Amino acid sequence: MEDRTHFGYEEVPASEKARRVRGVFDSVAGRYDVMNDLMSAGLHRLWKRFAVDAVLPRPGMRVLDLAGGTGDLARLFARRVGGAGTVVHTDINLAMLAEGRDKLIDRGFALPTVQCNAEALPFPDRTFDVVSIAFGLRNVTRKEAALAEMRRVLRPGGAAMVLEFSRVAAPLAPAYDWYSFTVLPRLGRLVANDDASYRYLAESIRVHPDQEALKGMMEQAGFDQVEYHNLTAGVVAVHVGRVY
Ligand code: SAM
């Protein structure tokens, strides 16, 4: 029988998830940035800065950003690695990648852009000093495969960073659930005329591995010294794994 996986709370054949996720991001691409600011009250900008700082990017480094969407991480990394470094901006979805490329160019960054699936990267072993994925792993069908690929393309001494929604501290859970399942879909309908995609967002967060589970998955994928930082009481977590 075919493997099954989660698409939000729905169980779907594994082969169908990528198509369903593509539908979500085709639908939200044009409104993605404004919705991020509204939904997180701008907090996503601080989370992303913290996450980039967590891997200590330095001038000259080679960075790969997976599921890079509208390019926020690629831009932050590009500032840090400078002209001597390289940042490759990638995503599986052409609509998101195009939004990202245009936004990066508007801000003065012409970065190499590659359409690719995080589960099967078109890069040789040991190519990058840093590989990042922000709010992307949740959407990937075979997360173990993506983590193994991140490990494969890292050079010895390199670091992988995963920024993702995680398990919020228990006292905040009722308020967070109300916000996620009542406010978010309404906001989605009002601003992007799309409540379903924002319901998927809330559901996909609930079925994603929590902090300790993701740490274990990264260790299983062969990362050394995996650690994580909770931000905003665990609404999101930044995991960093190293390759020795
Ligand atoms: N990293 C950006 C950010 O933090 O704003 C975008 C995050 S957005 C929530 C998730 C992105 O993951 C989408 O652009 C989507 O196309 C991408 N994505 C989903 N599945 C993917 C896969 N298997 N490989 C690469 N990217 C994927």
Side-chain angles (χ1 to χ4, degrees):
M1 211 178 85
E2 196 188 345
D3 285 350
R4 297 184 74 80
T5 191
H6 283 287
F7 175 78
Y9 285 166
E10 236 183 289
E11 258 208 13
V12 297
S15 59
E16 208 185 287
K17 175 162 171 168
R19 188 180 58 78
R20 302 279 295 268
V21 168
R22 185 171 71 234
V24 168
F25 289 102
D26 280 345
S27 165
V28 304
R31 293 277 168 157
Y32 180 79
D33 288 326
V34 72
M35 277 300 289
N36 262 359
D37 275 331
L38 276 174
M39 286 184 309
S40 73
L43 276 175
H44 75 105
R45 294 165 184 259
L46 303 180
W47 296 334
K48 287 170 179 167
R49 258 182 241 146
F50 181 97
V52 165
D53 286 345
V55 286
L56 306 172
R58 290 191 307 279
M61 278 186 165
R62 297 169 64 103
V63 178
L64 173 66
D65 186 38
L66 302 175
T70 56
D72 286 350
L73 258 79
R75 192 176 70 253
L76 292 171
F77 275 122
R79 288 209 183 104
R80 303 290 290 275
V81 304
T86 313
V87 179
V88 185
H89 171 227
T90 71
D91 199 286
I92 200 171
N93 184 297
L94 207 55
M96 291 293 284
L97 209 52
E99 290 283 335
R101 188 201 47 212
D102 292 352
K103 195 169 131 196
L104 284 163
I105 288 172
D106 286 348
R107 285 163 175 71
F109 297 96
L111 305 181
T113 298
V114 178
Q115 184 179 14
C116 63
N117 186 344
E119 295 172 35
L121 297 176
F123 304 102
D125 297 357
R126 297 188 285 276
T127 305
F128 297 98
D129 300 298
V130 171
V131 180
S132 59
I133 184 164
F135 303 115
L137 193 61
R138 199 169 22 94
N139 301 296
V140 169
T141 307
R142 295 180 308 131
K143 299 181 202 347
E144 289 84 359
L147 292 171
E149 281 292 83
M150 292 171 76
R151 166 86 180 66
R152 180 182 67 76
V153 299
L154 273 173
R155 289 174 170 168
M161 184 273 283
V162 180
L163 169 62
E164 191 50 273
F165 291 104
S166 204
R167 185 66 47 85
V168 73
L172 297 184
Y176 184 57
D177 282 349
W178 172 79
Y179 177 75
S180 306
F181 290 104
T182 308
V183 179
L184 269 192
R186 284 188 195 167
L187 210 56
R189 192 168 56 233
L190 267 174
V191 179
N193 195 24
D194 178 359
D195 42 343
S197 293
Y198 291 90
R199 197 163 296 115
Y200 163 71
L201 167 66
E203 292 179 3
S204 65
I205 292 170
R206 277 26 181 222
V207 297
H208 186 66
D210 66 13
Q211 288 85 338
E212 281 296 321
L214 179 56
K215 181 176 183 220
M217 287 170 70
M218 290 179 73
E219 286 166 348
Q220 277 289 316
F223 288 105
D224 302 299
Q225 210 191 318
V226 179
E227 49 189 35
Y228 63 82
H229 310 271
N230 282 317
L231 304 181
T232 318
V235 169
V236 303
V238 179
H239 284 69
V240 176
R242 307 203 173 262
V243 174
Y244 292 145

